[in-house]
Amino acid sequence: MARARSLSLAAAAACAASLSAGAAQANPPDTYGFGSRETAMGGAASATTRGFAATYYNPAALARSRGLELSIGYFRADHHMQINGADTGVDPVKGLNGGLVVPGTLFGMPFAFGIALHLPDDRISRVRALRQEQPRWEMYDNRNQRLFLAACLAIEPVPWLQIGGGLSFMSSTRGRLDITGRANVFRADDSELRHEVDADLTAIRYPHAGVRVALSDSAALAAVYRGEFQLGLDLSARLAGSISDLTTALFVLETSSVNNFLPQQIVLGGEWKPHRDVTTTFDATWIQWSAYVPPVARLDVALDIPPPDGGWPPTVTPPEVPAPTRVEPLRMRDRLVPRFGVEWRAVHARTADVFARGGYEIFVSPIEAQSGLTNYIDRSRHTVSLGAGVALRDLARELPGTVTLDAHGQLGQLVTSTTRKTSAADLVGDYTAGGRFIAFGLQLGVVFDPPGRAK
Amino acid sequence: MTRRALAQALLGASACICIYACATTGAEGEGDRDLPSSGVGPFRKLAGDEVPGVAPFVLDDERAEYREPSAISIRVAGEAEPSVVLYAVARDAAGADGIVRSRALDGRAFFGATGHTGRSPARVLSADLPWEGGALSGPAALAVGGEIWLYYAAAGGIGLARSVDGVTFSKLPAPVLAAVAPSGAETTAPRAPSVYRLPDGRFRMLYAAGTSIFEAESADGLAFRRLDPDPSTPEIEPVLAPSRPALPSELLPNEKGPFDTGRVSDPEVSVRTTPAGRLHIRVLYTGESLAGATVIGFAGRYGESGPLERQQLPVFAVGKKERAPTMVPVGAGIMLYVQQDHPAGLGGGEGYFALSAAYAPGTETLARPLDYPASP
């Protein structure tokens, strides 16, 4: 039995690793966690997660649910990122977290469907294509400003095994601006210009899958794969027409960039209960940062303005075609991120349980020293989290099940260090950078299931 | 509290969460506040609302043709805030070039500018020594102790005048760096000096000669000796020479090659210690192409000796024959002053040189200018 479980786990991990479709530490959940219980446990949750949060941590764990589960909560992370002692004003990440799990049976086999959502309340998604020289907190400035939406299925073919998978959704942006007509540079009001705008938000999906093996009542292992995705931004503009009947102008601009890239991840984790009221967890997440595509726009410009009859007046300097950008590669290294968590059931009564939780994560920055032209600033980070939860059973006749209320607080402390530039003619120069983020969240859930039936 | 009331409270709390989240509206993103910078641009020219006259000019006069500015921040007696003082070359009524002084409380409304009717900058130096050859150029002001030391160029080399109040100067009788017979790359008399001090108090001077920029050193600022950044060669090498023109195969489509293939000159040097604790010598200069087009470039080095490394892109370029940069901190940013072409007036003509201003960081907009000061 133990050998069969080990083989199943290895096979599932191999299958997960071989999936080629493909992104990571820039979902907001990657950085700040998802769901108060799991976040409070340091994100070390692949083997211990359940409910709506399983759609992110391990879709297989959805099959642990036996009753309809609804959850909603709020989350906020405030950044205090400093460069040379000055706060650079990195925007907070905040919004609703929630989801539902609908369990059932399929051919006599436990089955569950889950959907989860992180809905930012500032912006659904943000597009930024900065100059590659401009300093920015690459891991915190823009990448986490986006929606997270995932839908998953899971089955439990045998009581000790859960398998699950699903898709996450995002959209790329394609846009076109077309202006034609006649421009009067002497009387702008007499210009006759027609413009057309054509923009598409095209859906992209990336997979994630997982497996959970219960080795015993007190131990479980898990493996999770999260795919890679690239959030593209393609814009084009075309301007054509005559300028005061003196000459004609044709300007064509095409720009293409990857606004958000999430590398693929593989998570191996475990859960062990040394005592019936204590759960300890561990996750190791491998992230393929070496495949990262920097968010720099590639610009292609064509400009054709023939000189008017008699040539250009001496006071007029005709515009020149801008030079293309020489994109400097961003070198990143694959990383293994360890996470640890613990949960203590401090109170266990007939109608209520009370939990205390803690967790720790160390994230070694994958970005190599920015000693050259580019300034993708990042620092290694220690994240400590604490939380508490209460599960209330049979609270009211209208709520026939368990009501859970979980809260967490999180401190991500970035190590302060100094970047030294190789070139003394660098316009940014040396800088010292460091900082922290502070996050908190609250999650309310209802499990429409008599206590004791959920696994 | 009854269990039913607790359930209602929890449901109410979740409703509040939803209402709070839904009532929040998106704000414009930040993340680019107080970004690090070497403090040398890129600069943008001043806009119409940022100067009292015709932007971007801050000091212009068709007859005086102000050129080669040198800016310094000085606290004038009786005033709470420091002023920006500009020393610049100007032509007098007899057609001789001397050095004048003007001042602005905000770095933009200069005494004697076009809009300051009936006033004109004060003439502080004229060519009256035999070695000066009848004309002065390239002023470079430096605060030393309680005095203003004004280095300048003339036919026989680099001279020095000292002043307590920055208005009345006393010249040294002989140049502090004399012209020598053409040797190596130093094919002309030194011109366009810029003087700075090392942390131990020694004086360093960058100056232009021929098509390059050279360096000299002095213990007291009164007598300089030439420095060789490469002692392994017999001749004194420049610290910055013109760039090698790029081969067509080295360029991307529409990409331009180096902007300073013809000549580098007019150094403006400033010193800082970087957050990493390194001595950073920063030099703005005029970069001139083989075709004669000029822009403002930036070169630098870490440490007190050695050649300068250049930035590939200009820090200020407007296509108006801009040259002779000088900069000074103003508010939270840096103000750059250059000499550039001023279009001809209503009476026609060919245009003339005047002093214009630019500012960094380029994303920041300046408040309306203050009044003109009461004195130059």
PDB file of all heavy atoms in Angstrom, chain A residues 148-161:
ATOM      1  N   PHE A 148      -6.932  37.317 -10.378  1.00  0.00           N
ATOM      2  CA  PHE A 148      -6.640  35.883 -10.413  1.00  0.00           C
ATOM      3  C   PHE A 148      -7.974  35.145 -10.435  1.00  0.00           C
ATOM      4  O   PHE A 148      -8.817  35.334  -9.559  1.00  0.00           O
ATOM      5  CB  PHE A 148      -5.823  35.471  -9.188  1.00  0.00           C
ATOM      6  CG  PHE A 148      -5.687  33.977  -9.041  1.00  0.00           C
ATOM      7  CD1 PHE A 148      -4.846  33.267  -9.888  1.00  0.00           C
ATOM      8  CD2 PHE A 148      -6.405  33.292  -8.082  1.00  0.00           C
ATOM      9  CE1 PHE A 148      -4.713  31.888  -9.759  1.00  0.00           C
ATOM     10  CE2 PHE A 148      -6.277  31.921  -7.945  1.00  0.00           C
ATOM     11  CZ  PHE A 148      -5.427  31.211  -8.791  1.00  0.00           C
ATOM     12  N   LEU A 149      -8.162  34.354 -11.474  1.00  0.00           N
ATOM     13  CA  LEU A 149      -9.410  33.604 -11.621  1.00  0.00           C
ATOM     14  C   LEU A 149      -9.050  32.193 -12.043  1.00  0.00           C
ATOM     15  O   LEU A 149      -8.333  31.998 -13.036  1.00  0.00           O
ATOM     16  CB  LEU A 149     -10.293  34.253 -12.686  1.00  0.00           C
ATOM     17  CG  LEU A 149     -11.560  33.496 -13.074  1.00  0.00           C
ATOM     18  CD1 LEU A 149     -12.499  33.362 -11.883  1.00  0.00           C
ATOM     19  CD2 LEU A 149     -12.270  34.211 -14.227  1.00  0.00           C
ATOM     20  N   ALA A 150      -9.526  31.216 -11.298  1.00  0.00           N
ATOM     21  CA  ALA A 150      -9.194  29.828 -11.614  1.00  0.00           C
ATOM     22  C   ALA A 150     -10.409  28.952 -11.395  1.00  0.00           C
ATOM     23  O   ALA A 150     -11.230  29.194 -10.498  1.00  0.00           O
ATOM     24  CB  ALA A 150      -8.032  29.351 -10.748  1.00  0.00           C
ATOM     25  N   ALA A 151     -10.518  27.941 -12.225  1.00  0.00           N
ATOM     26  CA  ALA A 151     -11.588  26.950 -12.089  1.00  0.00           C
ATOM     27  C   ALA A 151     -10.960  25.568 -12.183  1.00  0.00           C
ATOM     28  O   ALA A 151     -10.124  25.332 -13.069  1.00  0.00           O
ATOM     29  CB  ALA A 151     -12.621  27.129 -13.184  1.00  0.00           C
ATOM     30  N   CYS A 152     -11.344  24.662 -11.272  1.00  0.00           N
ATOM     31  CA  CYS A 152     -10.678  23.364 -11.198  1.00  0.00           C
ATOM     32  C   CYS A 152     -11.678  22.248 -10.930  1.00  0.00           C
ATOM     33  O   CYS A 152     -12.773  22.471 -10.397  1.00  0.00           O
ATOM     34  CB  CYS A 152      -9.637  23.357 -10.068  1.00  0.00           C
ATOM     35  SG  CYS A 152      -8.331  24.558 -10.297  1.00  0.00           S
ATOM     36  N   LEU A 153     -11.264  21.043 -11.280  1.00  0.00           N
ATOM     37  CA  LEU A 153     -11.995  19.825 -10.963  1.00  0.00           C
ATOM     38  C   LEU A 153     -11.069  18.900 -10.198  1.00  0.00           C
ATOM     39  O   LEU A 153      -9.850  18.906 -10.421  1.00  0.00           O
ATOM     40  CB  LEU A 153     -12.446  19.124 -12.250  1.00  0.00           C
ATOM     41  CG  LEU A 153     -13.484  19.829 -13.108  1.00  0.00           C
ATOM     42  CD1 LEU A 153     -13.629  19.104 -14.445  1.00  0.00           C
ATOM     43  CD2 LEU A 153     -14.822  19.869 -12.385  1.00  0.00           C
ATOM     44  N   ALA A 154     -11.648  18.077  -9.330  1.00  0.00           N
ATOM     45  CA  ALA A 154     -10.836  17.099  -8.596  1.00  0.00           C
ATOM     46  C   ALA A 154     -11.650  15.842  -8.351  1.00  0.00           C
ATOM     47  O   ALA A 154     -12.880  15.888  -8.234  1.00  0.00           O
ATOM     48  CB  ALA A 154     -10.360  17.696  -7.269  1.00  0.00           C
ATOM     49  N   ILE A 155     -10.947  14.729  -8.284  1.00  0.00           N
ATOM     50  CA  ILE A 155     -11.601  13.454  -7.971  1.00  0.00           C
ATOM     51  C   ILE A 155     -10.811  12.753  -6.875  1.00  0.00           C
ATOM     52  O   ILE A 155      -9.634  13.079  -6.626  1.00  0.00           O
ATOM     53  CB  ILE A 155     -11.691  12.540  -9.206  1.00  0.00           C
ATOM     54  CG1 ILE A 155     -10.286  12.291  -9.789  1.00  0.00           C
ATOM     55  CG2 ILE A 155     -12.611  13.135 -10.269  1.00  0.00           C
ATOM     56  CD1 ILE A 155     -10.248  11.230 -10.872  1.00  0.00           C
ATOM     57  N   GLU A 156     -11.491  11.802  -6.251  1.00  0.00           N
ATOM     58  CA  GLU A 156     -10.839  10.984  -5.218  1.00  0.00           C
ATOM     59  C   GLU A 156     -11.079   9.516  -5.586  1.00  0.00           C
ATOM     60  O   GLU A 156     -12.040   8.891  -5.129  1.00  0.00           O
ATOM     61  CB  GLU A 156     -11.414  11.300  -3.841  1.00  0.00           C
ATOM     62  CG  GLU A 156     -10.676  10.611  -2.712  1.00  0.00           C
ATOM     63  CD  GLU A 156     -11.250  10.991  -1.365  1.00  0.00           C
ATOM     64  OE1 GLU A 156     -10.803  12.014  -0.817  1.00  0.00           O
ATOM     65  OE2 GLU A 156     -12.155  10.276  -0.869  1.00  0.00           O
ATOM     66  N   PRO A 157     -10.240   8.951  -6.449  1.00  0.00           N
ATOM     67  CA  PRO A 157     -10.476   7.593  -6.919  1.00  0.00           C
ATOM     68  C   PRO A 157     -10.397   6.559  -5.809  1.00  0.00           C
ATOM     69  O   PRO A 157     -11.111   5.558  -5.848  1.00  0.00           O
ATOM     70  CB  PRO A 157      -9.388   7.373  -7.976  1.00  0.00           C
ATOM     71  CG  PRO A 157      -8.356   8.389  -7.701  1.00  0.00           C
ATOM     72  CD  PRO A 157      -9.052   9.546  -7.088  1.00  0.00           C
ATOM     73  N   VAL A 158      -9.503   6.769  -4.868  1.00  0.00           N
ATOM     74  CA  VAL A 158      -9.402   5.903  -3.693  1.00  0.00           C
ATOM     75  C   VAL A 158      -9.285   6.814  -2.477  1.00  0.00           C
ATOM     76  O   VAL A 158      -8.876   7.975  -2.607  1.00  0.00           O
ATOM     77  CB  VAL A 158      -8.168   4.962  -3.780  1.00  0.00           C
ATOM     78  CG1 VAL A 158      -8.366   3.909  -4.859  1.00  0.00           C
ATOM     79  CG2 VAL A 158      -6.898   5.757  -4.059  1.00  0.00           C
ATOM     80  N   PRO A 159      -9.647   6.343  -1.322  1.00  0.00           N
ATOM     81  CA  PRO A 159      -9.730   7.240  -0.168  1.00  0.00           C
ATOM     82  C   PRO A 159      -8.421   7.957   0.162  1.00  0.00           C
ATOM     83  O   PRO A 159      -8.433   9.011   0.797  1.00  0.00           O
ATOM     84  CB  PRO A 159     -10.137   6.304   0.965  1.00  0.00           C
ATOM     85  CG  PRO A 159     -10.862   5.190   0.299  1.00  0.00           C
ATOM     86  CD  PRO A 159     -10.180   5.000  -1.012  1.00  0.00           C
ATOM     87  N   TRP A 160      -7.291   7.410  -0.249  1.00  0.00           N
ATOM     88  CA  TRP A 160      -6.021   8.059   0.111  1.00  0.00           C
ATOM     89  C   TRP A 160      -5.436   8.923  -1.002  1.00  0.00           C
ATOM     90  O   TRP A 160      -4.351   9.463  -0.862  1.00  0.00           O
ATOM     91  CB  TRP A 160      -4.987   7.008   0.522  1.00  0.00           C
ATOM     92  CG  TRP A 160      -4.826   5.877  -0.483  1.00  0.00           C
ATOM     93  CD1 TRP A 160      -5.474   4.704  -0.472  1.00  0.00           C
ATOM     94  CD2 TRP A 160      -3.964   5.861  -1.631  1.00  0.00           C
ATOM     95  NE1 TRP A 160      -5.110   3.920  -1.532  1.00  0.00           N
ATOM     96  CE2 TRP A 160      -4.163   4.610  -2.259  1.00  0.00           C
ATOM     97  CE3 TRP A 160      -3.061   6.751  -2.175  1.00  0.00           C
ATOM     98  CZ2 TRP A 160      -3.479   4.242  -3.406  1.00  0.00           C
ATOM     99  CZ3 TRP A 160      -2.376   6.375  -3.327  1.00  0.00           C
ATOM    100  CH2 TRP A 160      -2.582   5.128  -3.934  1.00  0.00           C
ATOM    101  N   LEU A 161      -6.164   9.041  -2.107  1.00  0.00           N
ATOM    102  CA  LEU A 161      -5.606   9.762  -3.256  1.00  0.00           C
ATOM    103  C   LEU A 161      -6.606  10.776  -3.808  1.00  0.00           C
ATOM    104  O   LEU A 161      -7.756  10.450  -4.075  1.00  0.00           O
ATOM    105  CB  LEU A 161      -5.246   8.757  -4.358  1.00  0.00           C
ATOM    106  CG  LEU A 161      -4.725   9.348  -5.675  1.00  0.00           C
ATOM    107  CD1 LEU A 161      -3.380  10.040  -5.465  1.00  0.00           C
ATOM    108  CD2 LEU A 161      -4.601   8.258  -6.735  1.00  0.00           C
TER     109      LEU A 161
END
